[in-house]
Amino acid sequence: MSAGATGQPSTGSGEKGGARTALAGLTTRGRSFLAAGIAAAICAYVLGQPDLLRVGLLLAALPLICAAVVYRTRYRVAGSRRLSPARVPAGSEARVHLRMDNVSRLPTGLLMLQDRVPYVLGPRPRFVLDRVEAGGRREVSYRVRSDLRGRYPLGPLQLRLSDPFGMCELTRAFSTYDTLTVIPRVEPLPPVRLSGEAKGYGDGRQRTLALAGEDDVIPRGYRYGDDLRRVHWRLTARYGELMVRREEQPQRSRCTVLLDTRGLAYQGSGPDSAFEWAVSGAASVLVHMLERGFSVRLLTDTGTSVPGEGSDGFAGASQESADAAGLMMDTLAVVDHSDGTGLSRAYDVLRGGNEGLLVAFLGDLDEEQAAVAAKMRQRSGGAVAFLLDDDSWAREPNGAPDPMNRQEERLRMLREAGWTALSVPRGASLNEMWRQADRERAGVMTAGGTSGGEGWS
Protein backbone atom coordinates (compact mmCIF):
# COMPACT_ATOMS: atom_id res chain seq x y z
CA MET A 1 0.00 0.00 0.00
CA SER A 2 2.89 2.32 0.68
CA ALA A 3 6.54 2.52 -0.06
CA GLY A 4 9.22 4.62 1.51
CA ALA A 5 12.67 5.82 0.68
CA THR A 6 15.27 7.09 3.09
CA GLY A 7 18.64 8.64 2.37
CA GLN A 8 20.59 11.76 1.72
CA PRO A 9 21.45 13.49 -1.53
CA SER A 10 24.17 11.60 -3.34
CA THR A 11 27.14 13.19 -5.05
CA GLY A 12 28.77 12.38 -8.36
CA SER A 13 31.62 9.95 -8.75
CA GLY A 14 34.94 11.80 -8.54
CA GLU A 15 35.81 15.48 -8.58
CA LYS A 16 35.44 15.86 -12.34
CA GLY A 17 32.06 14.20 -12.33
CA GLY A 18 30.99 16.30 -9.36
CA ALA A 19 32.07 19.51 -11.05
CA ARG A 20 30.15 18.63 -14.19
CA THR A 21 27.08 17.82 -12.11
CA ALA A 22 27.27 21.12 -10.24
CA LEU A 23 27.72 23.18 -13.43
CA ALA A 24 24.90 21.29 -15.15
CA GLY A 25 22.61 22.43 -12.33
CA LEU A 26 23.00 26.11 -13.14
CA THR A 27 19.70 27.77 -13.88
CA THR A 28 19.08 30.27 -16.65
CA ARG A 29 19.79 33.06 -14.19
CA GLY A 30 23.02 31.41 -13.10
CA ARG A 31 24.20 30.86 -16.67
CA SER A 32 23.34 34.46 -17.52
CA PHE A 33 25.36 35.77 -14.58
CA LEU A 34 28.30 33.53 -15.53
CA ALA A 35 28.20 34.60 -19.17
CA ALA A 36 27.89 38.28 -18.24
CA GLY A 37 30.79 38.02 -15.84
CA ILE A 38 33.05 36.36 -18.38
CA ALA A 39 32.10 38.91 -21.03
CA ALA A 40 32.74 41.79 -18.62
CA ALA A 41 36.14 40.34 -17.64
CA ILE A 42 37.19 40.01 -21.30
CA CYS A 43 36.06 43.54 -22.11
CA ALA A 44 37.88 44.89 -19.02
CA TYR A 45 41.10 43.16 -20.10
CA VAL A 46 40.82 44.49 -23.65
CA LEU A 47 39.90 48.01 -22.59
CA GLY A 48 42.19 48.12 -19.56
CA GLN A 49 39.43 48.85 -17.06
CA PRO A 50 40.24 47.25 -13.67
CA ASP A 51 36.93 48.30 -12.09
CA LEU A 52 34.98 46.50 -14.82
CA LEU A 53 37.21 43.47 -14.28
CA ARG A 54 36.26 43.33 -10.61
CA VAL A 55 32.57 43.53 -11.51
CA GLY A 56 32.98 40.75 -14.08
CA LEU A 57 34.77 38.49 -11.62
CA LEU A 58 32.04 39.06 -9.04
CA LEU A 59 29.31 38.21 -11.57
CA ALA A 60 31.12 35.04 -12.66
CA ALA A 61 32.01 33.92 -9.14
CA LEU A 62 28.49 34.24 -7.66
CA PRO A 63 26.85 31.36 -9.62
CA LEU A 64 29.95 29.18 -9.20
CA ILE A 65 29.92 29.67 -5.43
CA CYS A 66 26.17 28.94 -5.30
CA ALA A 67 26.67 25.76 -7.34
CA ALA A 68 29.44 24.59 -5.00
CA VAL A 69 27.35 25.29 -1.89
CA VAL A 70 24.29 23.49 -3.24
CA TYR A 71 26.38 20.55 -4.43
CA ARG A 72 28.01 20.19 -1.01
CA THR A 73 24.70 20.42 0.85
CA ARG A 74 23.94 17.31 2.87
CA TYR A 75 20.37 16.69 4.01
CA ARG A 76 19.28 13.52 5.74
CA VAL A 77 15.63 13.18 4.83
CA ALA A 78 13.21 10.28 4.55
CA GLY A 79 10.46 10.17 1.97
CA SER A 80 7.38 7.94 1.85
CA ARG A 81 4.40 7.59 -0.45
CA ARG A 82 0.94 6.17 0.26
CA LEU A 83 -1.76 5.43 -2.33
CA SER A 84 -5.40 5.70 -1.40
CA PRO A 85 -6.54 3.37 -2.88
CA ALA A 86 -3.79 1.39 -4.61
CA ARG A 87 -6.33 -0.23 -6.97
CA VAL A 88 -8.83 2.12 -8.62
CA PRO A 89 -11.39 1.66 -11.43
CA ALA A 90 -10.77 3.41 -14.74
CA GLY A 91 -12.14 6.93 -14.71
CA SER A 92 -11.92 7.26 -10.91
CA GLU A 93 -9.43 9.25 -8.89
CA ALA A 94 -6.81 8.07 -6.44
CA ARG A 95 -4.98 10.27 -3.97
CA VAL A 96 -1.23 10.04 -3.44
CA HIS A 97 0.07 11.16 -0.06
CA LEU A 98 3.74 12.20 0.21
CA ARG A 99 5.59 12.62 3.47
CA MET A 100 9.04 14.06 4.04
CA ASP A 101 10.85 13.63 7.38
CA ASN A 102 13.99 15.52 8.37
CA VAL A 103 15.94 12.86 10.27
CA SER A 104 19.02 15.05 10.83
CA ARG A 105 19.79 17.43 13.69
CA LEU A 106 19.96 20.44 11.39
CA PRO A 107 17.08 22.24 9.67
CA THR A 108 16.82 22.12 5.91
CA GLY A 109 16.62 24.96 3.50
CA LEU A 110 14.03 25.45 0.79
CA LEU A 111 13.09 22.11 -0.80
CA MET A 112 11.23 21.56 -4.03
CA LEU A 113 9.51 18.16 -4.06
CA GLN A 114 8.60 16.46 -7.32
CA ASP A 115 7.06 13.06 -8.02
CA ARG A 116 7.36 11.34 -11.37
CA VAL A 117 4.08 10.07 -12.81
CA PRO A 118 3.17 8.76 -16.29
CA TYR A 119 1.57 11.37 -18.53
CA VAL A 120 -1.72 9.40 -18.67
CA LEU A 121 -2.23 10.07 -14.95
CA GLY A 122 -1.97 13.82 -15.27
CA PRO A 123 0.66 16.55 -14.93
CA ARG A 124 3.78 15.99 -12.87
CA PRO A 125 3.11 17.26 -9.30
CA ARG A 126 5.52 19.77 -7.78
CA PHE A 127 5.55 21.19 -4.25
CA VAL A 128 7.66 23.81 -2.47
CA LEU A 129 8.54 22.89 1.11
CA ASP A 130 9.72 25.67 3.36
CA ARG A 131 12.39 25.19 6.00
CA VAL A 132 11.88 21.84 7.77
CA GLU A 133 13.05 21.89 11.36
CA ALA A 134 15.22 19.14 12.83
CA GLY A 135 13.06 16.06 13.39
CA GLY A 136 10.14 17.72 11.61
CA ARG A 137 7.93 16.50 8.79
CA ARG A 138 5.87 17.83 5.94
CA GLU A 139 2.93 16.12 4.24
CA VAL A 140 1.42 16.94 0.87
CA SER A 141 -0.92 15.09 -1.50
CA TYR A 142 -2.10 15.13 -5.09
CA ARG A 143 -4.67 13.32 -7.22
CA VAL A 144 -4.21 11.06 -10.23
CA ARG A 145 -6.77 9.77 -12.70
CA SER A 146 -6.71 7.58 -15.79
CA ASP A 147 -9.37 6.45 -18.24
CA LEU A 148 -7.07 3.65 -19.45
CA ARG A 149 -6.50 0.37 -17.65
CA GLY A 150 -2.99 -0.56 -16.67
CA ARG A 151 -0.30 -0.64 -14.02
CA TYR A 152 1.44 2.70 -13.69
CA PRO A 153 4.64 3.33 -11.72
CA LEU A 154 4.74 6.34 -9.41
CA GLY A 155 8.18 7.64 -8.58
CA PRO A 156 10.91 7.82 -7.80
CA LEU A 157 10.44 10.82 -5.57
CA GLN A 158 12.78 13.70 -6.37
CA LEU A 159 14.09 16.61 -4.31
CA ARG A 160 15.30 19.75 -6.03
CA LEU A 161 17.79 21.77 -3.99
CA SER A 162 18.36 25.43 -4.81
CA ASP A 163 20.28 28.37 -3.41
CA PRO A 164 18.59 31.53 -2.11
CA PHE A 165 19.56 33.46 -5.26
CA GLY A 166 18.13 30.89 -7.70
CA MET A 167 21.48 30.40 -9.41
CA CYS A 168 21.66 26.61 -9.18
CA GLU A 169 19.24 23.72 -8.83
CA LEU A 170 20.26 20.09 -8.29
CA THR A 171 17.97 17.08 -8.22
CA ARG A 172 18.32 14.21 -5.77
CA ALA A 173 16.14 11.16 -6.30
CA PHE A 174 15.10 8.29 -4.07
CA SER A 175 15.28 4.79 -5.49
CA THR A 176 11.86 3.32 -4.66
CA TYR A 177 8.52 3.68 -6.40
CA ASP A 178 4.92 2.48 -6.05
CA THR A 179 2.51 1.04 -8.58
CA LEU A 180 -1.02 2.26 -9.16
CA THR A 181 -3.29 -0.38 -10.68
CA VAL A 182 -6.15 0.96 -12.79
CA ILE A 183 -8.70 -1.84 -13.13
CA PRO A 184 -11.69 -2.03 -15.51
CA ARG A 185 -14.94 -0.34 -14.60
CA VAL A 186 -17.27 -2.68 -12.71
CA GLU A 187 -20.99 -2.23 -13.26
CA PRO A 188 -23.38 -3.62 -10.59
CA LEU A 189 -25.58 -6.35 -12.01
CA PRO A 190 -29.09 -7.31 -10.90
CA PRO A 191 -29.60 -10.77 -9.36
CA VAL A 192 -31.17 -13.27 -11.77
CA ARG A 193 -31.68 -17.03 -11.69
CA LEU A 194 -28.70 -18.71 -13.29
CA SER A 195 -28.34 -22.18 -14.70
CA GLY A 196 -25.16 -23.94 -13.77
CA GLU A 197 -25.99 -23.42 -10.11
CA ALA A 198 -25.57 -26.43 -7.92
CA LYS A 199 -28.90 -27.94 -6.96
CA GLY A 200 -30.31 -28.96 -3.61
CA TYR A 201 -28.55 -26.89 -0.94
CA GLY A 202 -28.90 -23.18 -0.42
CA ASP A 203 -28.40 -20.52 -3.02
CA GLY A 204 -26.13 -21.95 -5.67
CA ARG A 205 -24.83 -24.91 -3.65
CA GLN A 206 -25.17 -28.68 -3.50
CA ARG A 207 -24.18 -31.38 -1.07
CA THR A 208 -21.26 -33.56 -2.08
CA LEU A 209 -18.98 -36.04 -0.42
CA ALA A 210 -16.27 -34.49 1.70
CA LEU A 211 -12.68 -35.26 0.84
CA ALA A 212 -11.24 -34.40 4.25
CA GLY A 213 -8.96 -37.40 4.42
CA GLU A 214 -8.59 -41.13 3.88
CA ASP A 215 -10.83 -41.94 6.83
CA ASP A 216 -13.71 -40.19 5.06
CA VAL A 217 -13.32 -41.97 1.72
CA ILE A 218 -15.24 -45.00 3.14
CA PRO A 219 -17.52 -45.28 6.21
CA ARG A 220 -15.33 -45.04 9.31
CA GLY A 221 -15.45 -46.01 12.91
CA TYR A 222 -17.50 -44.08 15.39
CA ARG A 223 -15.74 -41.16 17.09
CA TYR A 224 -16.78 -39.37 20.23
CA GLY A 225 -19.11 -36.53 19.31
CA ASP A 226 -20.40 -38.07 16.04
CA ASP A 227 -24.12 -37.73 15.41
CA LEU A 228 -25.80 -41.08 16.08
CA ARG A 229 -28.10 -40.43 13.12
CA ARG A 230 -25.07 -41.00 10.89
CA VAL A 231 -24.49 -44.55 12.16
CA HIS A 232 -24.33 -47.06 9.28
CA TRP A 233 -26.13 -50.05 10.90
CA ARG A 234 -25.40 -52.55 8.16
CA LEU A 235 -21.66 -52.02 8.37
CA THR A 236 -21.89 -51.87 12.15
CA ALA A 237 -23.34 -55.40 12.14
CA ARG A 238 -20.68 -56.53 9.68
CA TYR A 239 -17.63 -55.19 11.54
CA GLY A 240 -18.96 -55.58 15.07
CA GLU A 241 -18.37 -51.90 15.95
CA LEU A 242 -20.17 -48.66 15.35
CA MET A 243 -19.54 -47.30 11.84
CA VAL A 244 -20.70 -43.90 10.62
CA ARG A 245 -21.45 -42.63 7.13
CA ARG A 246 -19.28 -40.25 5.21
CA GLU A 247 -19.75 -36.59 5.98
CA GLU A 248 -21.22 -34.19 3.49
CA GLN A 249 -20.39 -30.57 2.95
CA PRO A 250 -21.59 -27.76 0.71
CA GLN A 251 -19.82 -27.23 -2.57
CA ARG A 252 -19.75 -23.95 -4.42
CA SER A 253 -21.30 -23.67 -7.82
CA ARG A 254 -18.94 -22.85 -10.65
CA CYS A 255 -18.84 -20.10 -13.20
CA THR A 256 -16.35 -19.58 -16.01
CA VAL A 257 -16.06 -16.17 -17.64
CA LEU A 258 -14.56 -16.43 -21.12
CA LEU A 259 -12.95 -13.28 -22.53
CA ASP A 260 -12.09 -13.20 -26.22
CA THR A 261 -8.87 -11.16 -26.52
CA ARG A 262 -7.99 -11.88 -30.15
CA GLY A 263 -6.69 -8.74 -31.81
CA LEU A 264 -8.39 -9.54 -35.11
CA ALA A 265 -11.77 -9.81 -33.38
CA TYR A 266 -11.97 -6.13 -32.43
CA GLN A 267 -11.65 -2.82 -34.21
CA GLY A 268 -10.76 0.50 -32.69
CA SER A 269 -9.02 1.40 -29.46
CA GLY A 270 -9.44 3.66 -26.48
CA PRO A 271 -11.76 3.72 -23.45
CA ASP A 272 -14.92 3.52 -25.60
CA SER A 273 -13.77 0.65 -27.83
CA ALA A 274 -15.45 -2.72 -28.11
CA PHE A 275 -12.55 -4.50 -26.44
CA GLU A 276 -12.71 -2.24 -23.38
CA TRP A 277 -16.44 -2.92 -23.13
CA ALA A 278 -15.76 -6.67 -23.16
CA VAL A 279 -13.06 -6.36 -20.48
CA SER A 280 -15.33 -4.25 -18.29
CA GLY A 281 -18.16 -6.72 -18.79
CA ALA A 282 -15.99 -9.67 -17.80
CA ALA A 283 -14.87 -7.83 -14.66
CA SER A 284 -18.47 -7.02 -13.72
CA VAL A 285 -19.63 -10.61 -14.11
CA LEU A 286 -16.67 -11.97 -12.14
CA VAL A 287 -17.36 -9.66 -9.21
CA HIS A 288 -21.09 -10.37 -9.37
CA MET A 289 -20.58 -14.13 -9.31
CA LEU A 290 -18.16 -13.96 -6.41
CA GLU A 291 -20.73 -11.96 -4.47
CA ARG A 292 -23.27 -14.69 -5.27
CA GLY A 293 -21.00 -17.31 -3.69
CA PHE A 294 -19.81 -18.95 -6.91
CA SER A 295 -16.39 -20.44 -7.49
CA VAL A 296 -15.21 -18.49 -10.51
CA ARG A 297 -12.36 -18.36 -12.95
CA LEU A 298 -11.33 -16.14 -15.82
CA LEU A 299 -10.52 -17.87 -19.09
CA THR A 300 -9.14 -16.25 -22.23
CA ASP A 301 -8.97 -17.45 -25.82
CA THR A 302 -5.29 -18.35 -25.25
CA GLY A 303 -6.31 -21.02 -22.71
CA THR A 304 -4.97 -19.01 -19.78
CA SER A 305 -7.01 -19.53 -16.63
CA VAL A 306 -7.01 -17.08 -13.70
CA PRO A 307 -6.81 -17.76 -10.85
CA GLY A 308 -4.95 -21.03 -11.23
CA GLU A 309 -4.45 -22.00 -7.61
CA GLY A 310 -6.24 -25.31 -7.96
CA SER A 311 -5.84 -27.95 -10.61
CA ASP A 312 -9.14 -26.93 -12.16
CA GLY A 313 -8.30 -23.23 -12.18
CA PHE A 314 -11.28 -22.15 -10.06
CA ALA A 315 -11.14 -19.85 -7.08
CA GLY A 316 -12.49 -22.34 -4.61
CA ALA A 317 -13.79 -22.06 -1.08
CA SER A 318 -10.24 -21.99 0.30
CA GLN A 319 -9.71 -18.52 -1.17
CA GLU A 320 -11.25 -15.36 0.15
CA SER A 321 -13.54 -13.75 -2.38
CA ALA A 322 -11.75 -10.43 -2.01
CA ASP A 323 -8.38 -12.02 -2.78
CA ALA A 324 -9.77 -13.86 -5.79
CA ALA A 325 -11.44 -10.70 -7.10
CA GLY A 326 -8.24 -8.72 -6.60
CA LEU A 327 -6.17 -11.27 -8.51
CA MET A 328 -8.55 -11.30 -11.45
CA MET A 329 -8.93 -7.52 -11.47
CA ASP A 330 -5.13 -7.17 -11.57
CA THR A 331 -5.07 -9.54 -14.52
CA LEU A 332 -7.80 -7.65 -16.36
CA ALA A 333 -6.01 -4.37 -15.67
CA VAL A 334 -3.17 -5.37 -17.99
CA VAL A 335 -4.89 -7.79 -20.39
CA ASP A 336 -4.25 -6.89 -24.01
CA HIS A 337 -4.99 -8.26 -27.45
CA SER A 338 -3.59 -11.69 -28.16
CA ASP A 339 -2.05 -12.88 -31.42
CA GLY A 340 -4.37 -15.88 -31.55
CA THR A 341 -6.73 -16.56 -34.40
CA GLY A 342 -9.17 -19.00 -32.79
CA LEU A 343 -10.94 -20.22 -29.66
CA SER A 344 -9.71 -23.81 -29.79
CA ARG A 345 -7.37 -23.44 -26.81
CA ALA A 346 -10.16 -22.17 -24.62
CA TYR A 347 -12.37 -25.02 -25.83
CA ASP A 348 -9.70 -27.54 -24.82
CA VAL A 349 -9.51 -26.10 -21.31
CA LEU A 350 -13.22 -26.56 -20.75
CA ARG A 351 -13.83 -30.00 -19.34
CA GLY A 352 -16.87 -32.09 -20.03
CA GLY A 353 -19.95 -31.79 -17.90
CA ASN A 354 -18.86 -29.98 -14.73
CA GLU A 355 -18.15 -26.41 -15.80
CA GLY A 356 -21.29 -24.87 -14.32
CA LEU A 357 -22.28 -21.57 -15.88
CA LEU A 358 -20.29 -20.23 -18.83
CA VAL A 359 -20.48 -16.49 -19.61
CA ALA A 360 -18.59 -15.46 -22.75
CA PHE A 361 -17.67 -12.05 -24.13
CA LEU A 362 -16.86 -12.60 -27.79
CA GLY A 363 -15.58 -10.36 -30.54
CA ASP A 364 -16.02 -10.87 -34.26
CA LEU A 365 -16.48 -14.56 -35.16
CA ASP A 366 -16.14 -16.17 -38.53
CA GLU A 367 -18.07 -19.31 -39.33
CA GLU A 368 -15.34 -21.63 -38.06
CA GLN A 369 -14.91 -19.89 -34.72
CA ALA A 370 -18.67 -19.60 -34.28
CA ALA A 371 -18.84 -23.39 -34.61
CA VAL A 372 -16.11 -23.81 -31.97
CA ALA A 373 -17.97 -21.48 -29.62
CA ALA A 374 -21.20 -23.39 -30.24
CA LYS A 375 -19.55 -26.64 -29.13
CA MET A 376 -18.54 -25.06 -25.81
CA ARG A 377 -22.19 -25.18 -24.77
CA GLN A 378 -21.92 -28.96 -24.52
CA ARG A 379 -19.31 -28.60 -21.80
CA SER A 380 -21.22 -26.33 -19.45
CA GLY A 381 -24.35 -26.37 -17.35
CA GLY A 382 -25.58 -23.14 -18.91
CA ALA A 383 -24.12 -20.66 -21.38
CA VAL A 384 -24.62 -16.96 -22.03
CA ALA A 385 -22.79 -15.15 -24.84
CA PHE A 386 -22.42 -11.41 -25.36
CA LEU A 387 -21.39 -11.05 -28.98
CA LEU A 388 -20.11 -7.59 -29.78
CA ASP A 389 -21.53 -6.29 -33.04
CA ASP A 390 -18.36 -5.50 -34.96
CA ASP A 391 -20.17 -3.43 -37.60
CA SER A 392 -21.87 -1.28 -34.97
CA TRP A 393 -18.68 -0.63 -32.99
CA ALA A 394 -16.56 0.01 -36.08
CA ARG A 395 -18.71 2.64 -37.77
CA GLU A 396 -19.22 6.16 -36.54
CA PRO A 397 -22.27 6.91 -34.37
CA ASN A 398 -25.43 7.38 -36.45
CA GLY A 399 -23.63 5.78 -39.40
CA ALA A 400 -25.35 3.48 -41.86
CA PRO A 401 -25.28 -0.25 -40.99
CA ASP A 402 -23.22 -2.61 -43.06
CA PRO A 403 -25.48 -4.53 -45.46
CA MET A 404 -23.12 -7.52 -45.27
CA ASN A 405 -23.67 -7.89 -41.49
CA ARG A 406 -23.12 -11.52 -40.40
CA GLN A 407 -24.16 -10.95 -36.80
CA GLU A 408 -27.55 -12.65 -37.08
CA GLU A 409 -26.00 -15.77 -38.59
CA ARG A 410 -23.54 -16.04 -35.71
CA LEU A 411 -26.29 -15.56 -33.16
CA ARG A 412 -28.40 -18.23 -34.82
CA MET A 413 -25.57 -20.76 -34.67
CA LEU A 414 -25.01 -20.11 -30.98
CA ARG A 415 -28.70 -20.21 -30.11
CA GLU A 416 -29.23 -23.46 -31.95
CA ALA A 417 -26.41 -24.94 -29.89
CA GLY A 418 -28.18 -23.92 -26.67
CA TRP A 419 -26.55 -20.57 -25.90
CA THR A 420 -28.47 -17.56 -24.68
CA ALA A 421 -26.77 -15.24 -27.16
CA LEU A 422 -27.17 -11.48 -27.42
CA SER A 423 -25.76 -8.95 -29.84
CA VAL A 424 -24.08 -6.01 -28.10
CA PRO A 425 -24.41 -2.75 -30.06
CA ARG A 426 -22.19 0.26 -29.61
CA GLY A 427 -22.66 1.99 -26.24
CA ALA A 428 -24.89 -0.74 -24.76
CA SER A 429 -25.36 -0.96 -20.99
CA LEU A 430 -24.21 -4.24 -19.46
CA ASN A 431 -26.92 -3.97 -16.82
CA GLU A 432 -29.62 -3.86 -19.50
CA MET A 433 -27.96 -6.65 -21.50
CA TRP A 434 -27.86 -8.79 -18.36
CA ARG A 435 -31.59 -8.27 -17.80
CA GLN A 436 -32.31 -8.93 -21.47
CA ALA A 437 -30.43 -12.23 -21.30
CA ASP A 438 -32.58 -13.26 -18.35
CA ARG A 439 -35.77 -12.33 -20.23
CA GLU A 440 -34.71 -14.22 -23.35
CA ARG A 441 -33.74 -17.24 -21.29
CA ALA A 442 -37.09 -17.21 -19.51
CA GLY A 443 -38.95 -16.82 -22.81
CA VAL A 444 -37.11 -19.72 -24.45
CA MET A 445 -37.69 -22.02 -21.49
CA THR A 446 -41.36 -21.12 -21.28
CA ALA A 447 -41.79 -21.79 -24.99
CA GLY A 448 -40.09 -25.14 -24.50
CA GLY A 449 -42.48 -26.10 -21.71
CA THR A 450 -39.84 -25.92 -18.99
CA SER A 451 -40.01 -24.00 -15.77
CA GLY A 452 -38.20 -20.69 -15.94
CA GLY A 453 -36.85 -21.15 -12.42
CA GLU A 454 -34.06 -23.44 -13.61
CA GLY A 455 -32.06 -20.53 -14.95
CA TRP A 456 -30.32 -19.73 -18.18
CA SER A 457 -29.91 -22.50 -20.70
Side-chain angles (χ1 to χ4, degrees):
M1 173 172 146
S2 65
T6 304
Q8 64 182 23
S10 60
T11 59
S13 57
E15 295 184 357
K16 293 183 178 179
R20 285 195 297 267
T21 302
L23 293 177
L26 290 176
T27 62
T28 302
R29 180 185 300 177
R31 294 175 187 273
S32 299
F33 267 67
L34 181 59
I38 294 175
I42 294 175
C43 291
Y45 176 77
V46 173
L47 300 176
Q49 297 291 329
D51 292 336
L52 182 59
L53 178 61
R54 285 191 290 268
V55 173
L57 293 176
L58 177 61
L59 292 176
L62 182 59
L64 296 179
I65 293 174
C66 291
V69 171
V70 172
Y71 179 75
R72 292 297 180 182
T73 300
R74 295 293 185 270
Y75 292 142
R76 294 186 61 212
V77 293
S80 64
R81 183 190 299 103
R82 178 170 56 87
L83 306 182
S84 178
R87 183 187 291 120
V88 62
S92 300
E93 290 185 345
R95 183 166 289 275
V96 183
H97 301 268
L98 302 178
R99 172 176 163 177
M100 297 299 301
D101 294 88
N102 183 10
V103 297
S104 67
R105 298 181 180 179
L106 298 176
T108 69
L110 187 68
L111 299 178
M112 286 180 285
L113 187 64
Q114 177 178 274
D115 206 8
R116 298 184 62 182
V117 299
Y119 73 94
V120 296
L121 298 182
R124 179 172 296 183
R126 295 181 174 90
F127 305 93
V128 177
L129 303 182
D130 202 356
R131 177 179 179 273
V132 182
E133 65 278 5
R137 70 179 60 166
R138 296 290 186 272
E139 294 185 4
V140 293
S141 65
Y142 64 93
R143 294 177 296 178
V144 291
R145 179 181 181 274
S146 174
D147 292 327
L148 301 176
R149 299 176 294 107
R151 292 173 61 87
Y152 301 103
L154 300 179
L157 197 61
Q158 295 178 333
L159 281 178
R160 298 179 64 186
L161 311 178
S162 65
D163 64 281
F165 302 103
M167 297 289 181
C168 180
E169 289 184 356
L170 294 181
T171 301
R172 299 290 185 259
F174 295 102
S175 59
T176 59
Y177 64 92
D178 285 309
T179 300
L180 175 68
T181 303
V182 180
I183 62 176
R185 295 183 181 90
V186 175
E187 184 175 348
L189 300 179
V192 296
R193 285 292 301 173
L194 310 172
S195 67
E197 296 185 53
K199 306 295 191 296
Y201 185 72
D203 182 14
R205 288 173 169 81
Q206 64 181 0
R207 300 187 65 85
T208 60
L209 298 177
L211 301 178
E214 293 183 359
D215 291 339
D216 289 327
V217 174
I218 60 175
R220 57 172 176 82
Y222 175 82
R223 298 172 184 171
Y224 178 77
D226 285 338
D227 191 347
L228 292 178
R229 290 175 296 181
R230 293 176 46 237
V231 173
H232 196 299
W233 297 110
R234 181 179 299 176
L235 290 178
T236 296
R238 178 178 177 182
Y239 290 103
E241 61 176 325
L242 284 177
M243 304 293 292
V244 295
R245 296 182 178 88
R246 288 177 285 182
E247 294 179 345
E248 294 180 340
Q249 66 180 12
Q251 180 186 19
R252 285 187 173 186
S253 299
R254 292 178 169 182
C255 175
T256 297
V257 178
L258 172 61
L259 175 62
D260 183 7
T261 64
R262 295 172 301 136
L264 55 81
Y266 300 94
Q267 297 186 34
S269 60
D272 298 327
S273 65
F275 182 67
E276 292 301 321
W277 193 99
V279 173
S280 177
S284 302
V285 172
L286 287 169
V287 172
H288 178 73
M289 290 302 178
L290 282 171
E291 293 175 349
R292 291 285 304 272
F294 276 65
S295 292
V296 300
R297 71 172 173 183
L298 171 65
L299 181 64
T300 67
D301 59 287
T302 62
T304 303
S305 179
V306 180
E309 183 179 89
S311 59
D312 56 5
F314 284 88
S318 63
Q319 286 182 297
E320 295 292 338
S321 295
D323 294 338
L327 178 59
M328 287 182 284
M329 291 300 105
D330 289 345
T331 301
L332 289 175
V334 296
V335 69
D336 202 354
H337 293 297
S338 70
D339 297 330
T341 59
L343 303 174
S344 57
R345 292 184 179 179
Y347 175 76
D348 294 337
V349 173
L350 297 174
R351 302 180 307 167
N354 196 25
E355 291 301 300
L357 176 66
L358 174 60
V359 181
F361 292 86
L362 304 173
D364 185 35
L365 299 177
D366 56 24
E367 184 176 356
E368 179 182 356
Q369 299 310 316
V372 174
K375 291 190 296 183
M376 293 181 183
R377 173 62 181 87
Q378 304 171 3
R379 300 191 172 187
S380 64
V384 183
F386 297 96
L387 187 59
L388 278 78
D389 188 348
D390 188 62
D391 295 332
S392 173
W393 287 90
R395 67 174 182 265
E396 295 296 327
N398 302 323
D402 186 352
M404 301 301 293
N405 187 5
R406 300 169 297 169
Q407 190 77 353
E408 291 301 325
E409 177 62 23
R410 305 179 196 118
L411 293 173
R412 183 190 61 80
M413 293 179 62
L414 294 178
R415 288 166 179 166
E416 289 180 352
W419 286 80
T420 299
L422 289 84
S423 177
V424 180
R426 183 187 182 96
S429 168
L430 179 61
N431 188 294
E432 292 300 323
M433 300 300 297
W434 191 254
R435 294 179 184 273
Q436 182 181 346
D438 181 48
R439 291 193 296 267
E440 290 198 9
R441 179 272 314 166
V444 170
M445 299 193 74
T446 302
T450 309
S451 172
E454 291 298 324
W456 288 341
S457 63

